[in-house]
Amino acid sequence: MSSEATVAPQGGTDDEVAAARAAITAKLTYAVGKNAVTASDRDWFLATALAVRDRMVDPWIASSKATYATGAKRVYYLSLEFLIGRLLFDTMNNLGLTDVYRAALGDLGVDLEKLKTVEPDAALGNGGLGRLAACFLDSMASLSIPAYGYGIRYDHGLFRQVVKGGWQQEYPENWLSFGNPWQFERPEVIYDIQFGGSVEAIMQPSGYPRYVWHPAETIEAVAYDTPIAGWRGRHVNTLRLWSARAVDPLRLDAFNSGDHIGALVEQVRAEAISKILYPSDETPAGHELRLRQEYFFVSASLQDLIYRHMRTYGDIRSLADKVAIQLNDTHPAISVAELMRILVDVRDIPWDEAWDITCRTLGYTNHTLLPEALETWPVPLLERLLPRQMQIIYLINAIHLEKAKTIEGADDAFLSSVSLIDEGNGRKVRMGHLAFIGSHSINGVSALHSDLVQKTIFRDLDRVYPGRINNKTNGITFRRWLQGANPGLTRILVDNCGESILDDPTGLAKLVPHAADTGLHDEFGSVRRANKVALARLIRDRLDIRVNPNALFDVQIKRIHEYKRQLLNILETIALYQAMRAQPHKEWVPRVKIFAGKAAASYHQAKLIIKLANDVAQVVNSDPTVRDLLKVVFLPNYNVSLAEMIIPAADLSEQISTAGMEASGTGNMKLALNGALTIGTLDGANVEIKEHVGDDNIFIFGLTTDEVAERRRQGIDAGGTIAASRELSAVLEAIEAGIFSPGEPGRFAALTTALRHHDYFLVTADFDSYYAAQRAVDALWLDRAAWWKASLTNTARVAWFSSDRTIAEYAKDIWNVPVRPAG
């Protein structure tokens, strides 16, 4: 990536630079405890971050005061993930401080760019879900929407991915080892979170029982706040994360009796809740821990927002008028039962009124059509761990089923499909159903996805509660993924479209009439090459692989999953490799295939795909026949910072999921914004990207959603499909012969057997179409004027995919809160 300054109208007078220099020096001395002579890069980073954080505090407090003074409605965004990445440059950019602090540090003999690499990525998420939440926080602040993000302060996040011998290995992500300068600990903000025990029904004079929960276990949720500054720093919101703590961290009697380990058992059990993101659920203990995590952060967040509401307004009945709660996927779905428990049991609100408040307050965003992601919890586990909430779920379901019975044609099968309890699979609670029933709005995250939500997973619920499903296509914050990640390109765009695009990216459309301008192509190409040189340097330093920056950089960066079909990309890579070996003198387009992404620790097929990618890389990269024509790279430990290096350097964006399985995607938007051309299926937001950039500026292949469904109905044995494809047959034979696993030809049998006989994700069905699309990519690449015209057009036409637009739609259609345009 270019090392030029982040582009924004910043400047900075001598007095401002002097003040920043003094602030940094003071923090270095009095907060870090070092002087300029002995300070390390990390010390300078801490001092700079603390100085920048101070600049957020006044507008943070002012934003909060204004919300209280005006009685503005607040939005609370509940998400198990917030993939915020590094904050130093992002915050300085939003506050307009980058140039000032660059100059101040330069006067002190410190390179700001060097400090960037010192800051760890905040390990608070996994992939698109968490990154979307981070973009939404930025946009809510930029649009001056009073909001809180609520989640968990993970000690170690997901995991640090290390690749050894081609295999993924998981290690703790120690992002908090040297502290977190952006957070404010709030030791006074503590809530009791309770589990287990029993429920007592106490009959009241009214003749109705009052239910009292007697929990068996209590732990504490402690708050940590991070200020999130919006564009130009005019509004600052809060990301409040919860850390788990034992009520009694040490059993002194056990310790004094010599049981030093046993004395800490309760502390370990409590703190496990906020240790890591997505603990493996292959064991009963792991399954329970996931539920404990979800309830922990939901209960703490609801208690906190209700406390704030009552302190301000004093009347719980006005909650829905002053509060909007958005559930980011099914992880916070227990909010429905927990909010009802608080309203009915704690605040003494009659059931029907409490249900009305709950439904009007909650909104639910669905992010997936995959059954495993639509969480279900065993009824016995919920009854044991959350007995009162399970009682409430039973009552919600009973009332819900009575309503469902009134629907025309409501037979037993229909009632079974809409019930909160799945009776056919060991009795489980359907959390997606709970979120749907308890929310006034249910939205998908792309036009195609929302349509499929209505037609498939929630088809019958939509008949019971018509009109609740709506679409809010995802977006990205251009401030990070263009201005922050690609300053060289941003400078060109400002020069050609005006500085107004920094506030309103729709001005990028001014580029469209100049799409064929070869001079502009040269400028685009120069910046792209500089970014590719920077990425090539990173690849060399991390992997000792040398790649050609003049080659086509073909990028697939996302969570490793069978439906995202990294395997399809690898198969095409092998086919291309075999073709190059067979015809070494042909005019081939040089390619660098770049993969990055993590597989869930217990997802064995995905981890085998990573191994295959690395084994293919080892063979291809060491073959002198293909020289610089083809290189394969798997970059470990994919995170936001790595994405900020890869995306500005990408020429081709791989968005090749099985049609109908990707809810939206946001990587596709980031890459298109930076001028990469998309090769993809008609899935998720690819459909809308195609509509905006035009058919000539995107490479679409493969089966459509309807064709996927029909193909599966016909059967997913792929023997005939494979036999009909010469290239695919040769690729599978090479893998099975051990070409990429010498001495262990059966290493990838689980992958090839699935492809031959149970190809649910239709990799084989789409292979020939994908291979042909890749050859169309080659042809366009050789026509440089046509390629850069398409690249420029992608950047010019994707302004609609701004998260500011998405959040403005949420604000208007779901939350009923006003917005103030950014800038």
Side-chain angles (χ1 to χ4, degrees), residues 19-35 39 43-55 57 101 108 181 184:
R21 189 168 60 243
I24 294 168
T25 303
K27 290 298 181 184
L28 182 68
T29 303
Y30 299 110
V32 182
K34 291 288 187 72
N35 62 46
D43 297 329
W44 283 114
F45 159 69
L46 289 172
T48 305
L50 290 169
V52 171
R53 190 185 73 168
D54 283 355
R55 297 291 294 269
V57 172
Y101 272 72
L108 294 166
F184 290 85

Side-chain angles (χ1 to χ4, degrees), residues 376-377 379-380 383 390 394 397 401 412 415-430 433:
T376 60
W377 294 110
V379 167
E383 288 178 330
M390 193 63 231
Y394 280 136
N397 196 40
L401 289 178
D412 289 345
L415 295 175
S416 177
S417 75
V418 300
S419 174
L420 291 181
I421 312 298
D422 180 358
E423 303 283 358
N425 191 24
R427 299 201 77 221
K428 293 182 178 180
V429 177
R430 295 164 166 153
H433 281 42

